[in-house]
Amino acid sequence: MAAAKARLGDILVEQGLLNADQLQWCLQEQKRSGRKLGQVIVDQGLVAADDICMALSRQFRIPYINLKTFNIDPSGVRVLPEIRARRFRAMVLEDRGDSLLLGLADPTDIYAYDELHRILGKRLELAVVSEALLFEAINRLYRKTGEITDAARELGQEVGDAQVDFGFTDSAASLEDAPVVRLLQSIFDDAAQVQASDIHIEPQEESLQIRFRIDGVMNFQTEASPRIAASLALRLKIMSNLDISEKRLPQDGRFAMKVGQQRIDVRLSTMPTQFGESIVMRLLNQSRGAISLDSIGMPPDMLKRFRSVLARPNGLVLVTGPTGSGKTTTLYGALAELNTPDRKLITIEDPVEYKLQGVNQVQVNDKIELDFARVLRASLRQDPDVVLVGEMRDQETAQIGMRAALTGHLVFSTLHTNDAVSTPNRLLDMGVPPYIMASALQLVLAQRLVRVICDVCDEPHALSLSEREWLKAELGNRVDEHSFRHGRGCSHCNSSGYRGRVGVYEMLEMTQSLADIASENNPQAFLREAERQMGGWTLRRHAVQLAVEGKTTVAEAMAVSNQSAA
């Protein structure tokens, strides 16, 4: 079916979605701003984007496809080059053999239809799609793997079989069209598209392996010649202001860059291995909005108790869990709620992960003996109301933090423990006097992260024998009363069956009875009373609840419940 000539404004007026005066005003605004007419209409709140799509669908008698729920065929997408997809606001949604299902944001564009028909060379079946969802899909599905492979091959040819010429690479690194620069830009672009949290560049004997961590799971990206490893390491060291001549010792650095419309802070770590320097980069998106406690997945009753502790004027709040369990997100959410004009907040971090407007954030630096304990002592002379200590690393930091909590300050920190009930005993093992711990500690929050089932491809899941037996520990004979789900994998979740993560929590609030037992330094009695007070609400129980609710899989619940802290 060929596109028909018509104008969007006339269609909307004809179908009663706009009146003539509104259309005239929008046309003037379109001329003034240079934006598309449809975008002007949506931004002004005159017609919703879905209603515009439905109007076009009725006008041209073609279907409207909601890309939020449609499983796009990834093999068909690449038939249309990305540059053309963006230019014509179109995407091949499905290859039907003798025809292609083509999603168009603007089926009134005759020129676009003619060019797409010429480029694709097949009969086209048209569908209307939302422009905003279309560009989301383009960003998600047009991976940079080909660009990465081509740039890596070109860099390998430039380096050749000889050892890297540091002077040549250094000078080339300053050129925007240098292969090493294009390769790194493609890697960062691809990592941002799939929302990777980390990039791993790992030299092996026969290859250079590049992997991404997505939703906590390592994903293979590509392999390249091991000859380019030194060039990549050199360029990244230059960007991070590290010592380019030092390859025998680990180094840490950071730099910032813009990827698309996002500002990314990159924390870089190098480590010498048998076949070269392994590089890991943590990507911190500074463009995202403020973190909210309402969005982290804490159960409502627990969140209410947590907020009641945040309202106290003093005391210590500890968040525990392994690396990558979302502790920083929870703490920043708490700080965001406390960050008001009548409070002074100071954070002591290694490193500072996200910038908080109005908060005094301090980066520790062991090289100049600016450690946690020293900064914490200094911060208490800065008249703070709230202090965040990135981690209770040693006895000195723990004791200073505890004393600060006793002298009118609300103190937040993290600790590596397996669960909430064992945390107070861990503080005692670190040398904190029992009476100080009992008086200062207000609350312990233990947490993990589980992957969320993709809402596009989720479907019923039949339990395996091991999953059924594991669930019986929490649900008993009621396992069969519940249904469970999983994701089969689709274009929205990169065929993983999961999209995003949510927190799993358990909380121990220090009551007077617990404080009394803690001050007696009787660990076994404390554990019994703490477990009784928690009433069986553990990380395991919360994970099972999420599986019962269909938010995560039983396999994820099992995996997160069996984790231990680093």
Side-chain angles (χ1 to χ4, degrees), residues 444-474:
V444 180
L445 183 73
Q447 67 178 79
R448 303 287 191 274
L449 291 175
V450 292
R451 290 182 292 172
V452 176
I453 298 171
C454 175
D455 57 357
V456 175
C457 64
D458 76 318
E459 61 184 16
H461 169 65
L463 296 175
S464 67
L465 182 61
S466 61
E467 288 174 337
R468 184 179 298 276
E469 289 300 315
W470 183 81
L471 286 167
K472 281 184 178 179
E474 284 294 336

Side-chain angles (χ1 to χ4, degrees), residues 399 402-403 406 432-441:
Q399 291 201 11
M402 290 281 186
R403 295 186 188 280
L406 289 173
V432 176
Y435 69 93
I436 292 181
M437 189 272 291
S439 302
L441 186 61

Side-chain angles (χ1 to χ4, degrees), residues 530-558:
E531 289 170 355
R532 186 197 67 78
Q533 182 179 301
M534 290 177 63
W537 184 270
T538 61
L539 292 167
R540 180 189 183 112
R541 176 167 294 183
H542 190 193
V544 169
Q545 178 180 306
L546 292 175
V548 168
E549 293 172 354
K551 294 180 179 178
T552 193
T553 62
V554 178
E556 273 291 289
M558 292 173 67

Side-chain angles (χ1 to χ4, degrees), residues 14-34:
E14 181 182 329
Q15 297 192 20
L17 297 174
L18 278 183
N19 61 44
D21 291 339
Q22 289 172 326
L23 175 59
Q24 191 60 36
W25 186 92
C26 290
L27 288 171
Q28 292 173 356
E29 178 64 17
Q30 176 196 23
K31 186 176 181 180
R32 185 192 67 80
S33 65

